[in-house]
Amino acid sequence: MTYRHVIGGTAYVFADLRDLLAKASPPRSGDRLAGLAAESAEQMVAARIALADVPLKQFLNEAVIPYEVCEVTRLIVDSHDAQAFAPIATLTVGSFRDWLLSGNAGPDALKAIARGITPEMAAAVSKLMRNQDLILAAKKCEVVTAFRDTIGLSGRMSVRLQPNHPFDDAKGITASVMDGILLGAGDACIGINPASDDPAVIGRLLHLLDEIIGRLQMPTQACVLSHITTTLRLIAKRVPVDLIFQSIAGTEAANRSFGVDLALLREAHDAGRSLGRGTVGNNVMYFETGQGSALSANAHHGLDQQTCEARAYAVARAFDPLLVNSVVGFIGPEYLYDGKQIIRAGLEDHFCGKLLGVPLGVDVCYTNHAEADQDDMDNLLTLLAAAGVNFIMGVPGADDVMLNYQSTSFHDALYVRDLFKLKRAPEFDDWLFRTGLVDMNHRLVGNSDLLPEFARRMIA
């Protein structure tokens, strides 16, 4: 089906829904690289006006990637909840935006319709929104998950403690973990990106984190971000695994480039849940995504990168994850050129994920060859905290010495918590108080004498 709109006597025609979504997207380098972006501001505006008039029902009738060629499309179509969709079934994309920003769209109403919204609907409405709209609507979406603590409650923001080391050195990792804990980080998880893909090394790191969490009796969860097949092999060997990690994307072809498909994700999800290692919940999956991943694998099927990203959240949603992390600026300036594009993409990802009922966190980050700096990241961090982001990263000094990119530090988390009066996960906050690391107002005491003796020995 073609779509059109006339501006100043010029008729702008869009070949299909996929073309319309791409041309309506805010400018970004990835879509231009793929030859999908609007050729002028006038064409982009025409696409947005035409998109605003598209009924939401049209997204159920016109697949942007054919059902027959992509299992992600089949997942989206086959799992669509018609009853949840019913309250918004008569809306267009434009009137859906108006409803989302109205007083009628409260947390309960948004939760009730989440399973009736397809990722393409979410992507479409986001393209009609200003940044403030994305913030306001996302703030109203509460997505709560749990394993050893509870993440995503209103008025709280969690931090993944990321103690990466270029040599996977136990002493270096432990020092970073203790640094983060003393600064109140780690309630989302303690998650290591390993430098090695050797299963023996991965197993050693899992044992290390399990020992730290167990010795401290800390209500959080560990994750070593190895490939899902490695994690499955380690589970079979009875290595202590809390969370199962995998990078995912919004097309079958892109997921295959990561070495996964839905069947493998389902196998891993079932294996993780069977371990029963959670105490207050059993959400066991940790997924990472990022705009441009499908394009970088030439697996985007002519779909714009933000809509591809929203489709990745449909994959995540199917497995009830504890955490989903948009690593928004990590892929590089070929996909998000500068700070402005990274900020916009981060707000889009957070909004779309939350709208779809996914526990979205954001790695507020950039690579050193992007036209961005830490001030841009301060802006995005502040906007995301205002929008109710579930979690962010905590990296020593905001400088990841293993992955060689810039993220957010433990101190950055303290800044937004203080600014917005955000607490940590309740079980983690209570533990910090019991151990004397925070006072009754949940403010850090900064008592390094509380560092456990076993950790002192490990990093001596």
Side-chain angles (χ1 to χ4, degrees):
M1 177 176 175
T2 60
Y3 301 85
R4 69 192 302 271
H5 185 76
V6 178
I7 295 180
T10 300
Y12 293 92
V13 180
F14 308 96
D16 51 24
L17 195 53
R18 179 174 54 186
D19 184 41
L20 182 63
L21 288 167
K23 297 300 190 292
S25 293
R28 64 203 60 202
S29 51
D31 289 340
R32 187 163 297 280
L33 175 69
L36 302 173
E39 296 176 1
S40 66
E42 290 82 2
Q43 187 185 37
M44 182 177 68
V45 170
R48 290 181 181 178
I49 295 172
L51 181 60
D53 290 334
V54 174
L56 292 181
K57 286 182 178 179
Q58 182 63 20
F59 293 90
L60 302 177
N61 299 324
E62 184 178 349
V64 294
I65 301 176
Y67 185 93
E68 297 77 16
V69 305
C70 183
E71 68 172 358
V72 175
T73 299
R74 294 194 289 275
L75 172 68
I76 292 167
V77 173
D78 295 346
S79 64
H80 182 253
D81 188 331
Q83 184 174 354
F85 180 63
I88 58 172
T90 60
L91 300 181
T92 64
V93 177
S95 58
F96 185 37
R97 171 193 174 274
D98 294 342
W99 181 81
L100 288 170
L101 297 175
S102 74
N104 294 323
D108 291 340
L110 289 167
K111 184 177 181 180
I113 67 169
R115 296 279 174 170
I117 302 170
T118 69
E120 292 85 0
M121 294 176 194
V125 74
S126 76
K127 296 175 192 297
L128 305 185
M129 290 178 152
R130 291 169 55 186
N131 286 3
Q132 66 174 246
D133 300 336
L134 297 172
I135 294 166
L136 178 60
K139 178 69 173 178
K140 297 191 285 186
C141 300
E142 185 175 294
V143 183
V144 180
T145 56
F147 190 76
R148 292 199 187 99
D149 59 0
T150 307
I151 299 167
L153 292 167
S154 179
R156 298 179 184 268
M157 184 195 73
S158 296
V159 175
R160 170 189 156 192
L161 201 169
Q162 184 170 302
N164 296 346
H165 192 281
F167 305 112
D168 292 328
D169 178 72
K171 292 182 179 180
I173 288 170
T174 303
S176 293
V177 169
M178 293 304 149
D179 183 26
I181 291 171
L182 288 171
L183 290 168
D187 53 334
C189 73
I190 303 175
I192 301 171
N193 297 89
S196 171
D197 59 359
D198 183 343
V201 173
I202 307 302
R204 176 172 57 80
L205 295 177
L206 284 165
H207 279 292
L208 171 65
L209 295 183
D210 187 59
E211 180 185 11
I212 292 172
I213 290 171
R215 290 278 192 97
L216 296 177
Q217 298 184 324
M218 183 167 42
T220 192
Q221 36 283 327
C223 187
V224 177
L225 282 67
S226 59
H227 193 270
I228 200 167
T229 54
T230 301
T231 305
L232 278 170
R233 288 196 295 270
L234 293 172
I235 288 175
K237 294 181 178 179
R238 306 185 70 82
V239 173
V241 172
D242 291 341
L243 303 183
I244 297 173
F245 166 80
Q246 184 55 48
S247 293
I248 57 172
T251 72
E252 177 181 349
N255 282 324
R256 289 193 181 279
S257 77
F258 289 142
V260 299
D261 58 19
L262 296 180
L264 181 59
L265 294 176
R266 194 168 297 109
E267 177 187 353
H269 174 254
D270 293 344
R273 288 178 66 91
S274 71
L275 299 176
R277 291 175 60 84
T279 55
V280 296
N282 204 21
N283 298 113
V284 299
M285 304 300 286
Y286 176 14
F287 294 120
E288 286 194 344
T289 68
Q291 287 195 29
S293 58
L295 174 57
S296 68
N298 194 28
H300 60 296
H301 295 273
L303 194 61
D304 71 272
Q305 64 183 36
Q306 190 248 333
T307 304
C308 276
E309 172 72 2
R311 285 168 57 95
Y313 305 148
V315 176
R317 182 169 65 178
F319 300 99
D320 298 318
L322 180 75
L323 308 166
V324 178
N325 180 31
S326 166
V327 192
V328 67
F330 183 74
I331 301 181
E334 300 85 358
Y335 306 95
L336 296 170
Y337 178 71
D338 57 13
K340 183 174 183 177
Q341 291 189 10
I342 293 170
I343 289 168
R344 173 68 190 191
L347 295 176
E348 288 170 347
D349 293 352
H350 179 250
F351 162 77
C352 287
K354 286 291 193 63
L355 187 63
L356 291 166
V358 173
L360 235 292
V362 178
D363 189 346
V364 179
C365 65
Y366 65 101
T367 58
N368 287 308
H369 62 310
E371 290 294 319
D373 59 26
Q374 210 64 39
D375 285 337
D376 294 314
M377 298 305 102
D378 287 348
N379 293 342
L380 178 53
L381 174 61
T382 305
L383 296 173
L384 285 167
V389 70
N390 276 32
F391 67 98
I392 61 168
M393 300 296 108
V395 178
D399 184 4
D400 193 301
V401 296
M402 195 282 283
L403 291 173
N404 292 310
Y405 79 117
Q406 309 305 308
S407 185
T408 46
S409 71
F410 307 133
H411 297 85
D412 293 331
L414 294 179
Y415 147 70
V416 289
R417 281 182 170 144
D418 190 42
L419 180 65
F420 291 102
K421 308 305 177 189
L422 297 170
K423 297 179 181 179
R424 302 164 186 86
E427 300 86 353
F428 196 84
D429 247 348
D430 291 345
W431 175 81
L432 288 173
F433 176 72
R434 293 196 308 272
T435 56
L437 290 172
V438 299
D439 61 21
M440 292 184 65
N441 296 316
H442 303 284
R443 297 184 69 89
L444 290 172
V445 174
N447 186 356
S448 60
D449 292 336
L450 295 169
L451 192 68
E453 184 59 33
F454 87 94
R456 293 179 192 274
R457 290 197 303 269
M458 291 185 73
I459 64 177

